Amino acid sequence: DAQFRLLVQIREKTNEANNAVRTIRNVKAQLADRRGKAGARGAALEKLAGGLLAQLELVEQEVYQVRNRSGQDPLNYPIKLNNQIAALSGVVASAEAKPTTQSYEVYRILAADLDGQLAKLNTLLDGGLAAVNAEIGRLGLERVVPSTAELGGEVADPDPS
C-alpha cells in the first residue's frame, strides 16, 4: 500500500511537471502569434513579451532538459526535474516492498524543487502575463490564455467547450 501511494504521488508530480512545460510552450506559441499579428505597431508588446518569455524559459529549463535533440544528448546535458521525478518511480517500483526512507526523502526534495518552479510559473502567468495581455488588448488582439493544449503554427481555442 505504501509503495502504491508513493507511486501515485510520483505520477501526479510528473504530470504537474509535464503540464507546466506544456503550459509554457502554449503561452510561447500564443505570444509568437500575437507578436506576428502586431507587426510594426507592437514595439511595446515586443519589450513586454520578450521579458516574460525569458523568464518563462528559465522555468522551463529547470523543469525540462530543453537541449536534448538526439540519443546522445542525455550524456551531455543533465536530466531535469520531470525526468528525475519520473526516474524515481522506477526505483520505488523495483521491489515488492515498502519504499525506502531514501526514496521518500528524494521525493520530498524533488517535489519541493518542482513546487518552487511551479510557484514561479504561476507568478509569471498571474503578473507578467497580465501586463502583456493589457498591451495585446490595446492592440485589439485576442489575449493570451494559458493552457496545456499543444499548439503548432495556428493558435487553437484554449477553451474548446
Side-chain angles (χ1 to χ4, degrees), residues 16-17 20 24 55-64 80-82 110-125:
E16 287 180 43
I24 291 168
Q55 292 175 337
L56 287 172
E57 286 172 356
L58 290 175
V59 173
E60 181 182 18
Q61 291 168 11
E62 289 300 315
V63 176
Y64 180 77
K80 296 297 184 161
L81 287 170
N82 70 325
L110 293 174
D113 288 350
L114 178 61
D115 289 344
Q117 293 302 319
L118 295 176
K120 288 178 189 176
L121 176 59
N122 288 332
T123 298
L124 291 171
L125 295 178

Side-chain angles (χ1 to χ4, degrees), residues 25 57 60-61 64-69 80:
R25 291 181 176 179
E57 286 172 356
E60 181 182 18
Q61 291 168 11
Y64 180 77
Q65 180 50 266
V66 297
R67 293 194 225 163
N68 283 343
R69 300 284 183 259
K80 296 297 184 161

Side-chain angles (χ1 to χ4, degrees), residues 22-123:
R22 281 194 286 275
T23 299
I24 291 168
R25 291 181 176 179
N26 172 281
V27 169
K28 287 167 57 175
Q30 289 185 67
L31 286 172
D33 174 72
R34 302 317 182 276
R35 290 164 86 182
K37 289 178 180 176
R41 59 192 181 109
L45 176 60
E46 281 297 320
K47 185 176 180 181
L48 288 169
L52 177 61
L53 285 170
Q55 292 175 337
L56 287 172
E57 286 172 356
L58 290 175
V59 173
E60 181 182 18
Q61 291 168 11
E62 289 300 315
V63 176
Y64 180 77
Q65 180 50 266
V66 297
R67 293 194 225 163
N68 283 343
R69 300 284 183 259
S70 73
Q72 293 297 314
D73 283 345
L75 298 174
N76 299 316
Y77 307 113
I79 64 172
K80 296 297 184 161
L81 287 170
N82 70 325
N83 282 39
Q84 292 172 357
I85 295 167
L88 181 60
S89 69
V91 172
V92 172
S94 67
E96 290 298 320
K98 180 181 177 188
T100 63
T101 303
Q102 293 87 346
S103 292
Y104 284 109
E105 181 64 13
V106 168
Y107 174 78
R108 186 193 63 72
I109 292 167
L110 293 174
D113 288 350
L114 178 61
D115 289 344
Q117 293 302 319
L118 295 176
K120 288 178 189 176
L121 176 59
N122 288 332
T123 298

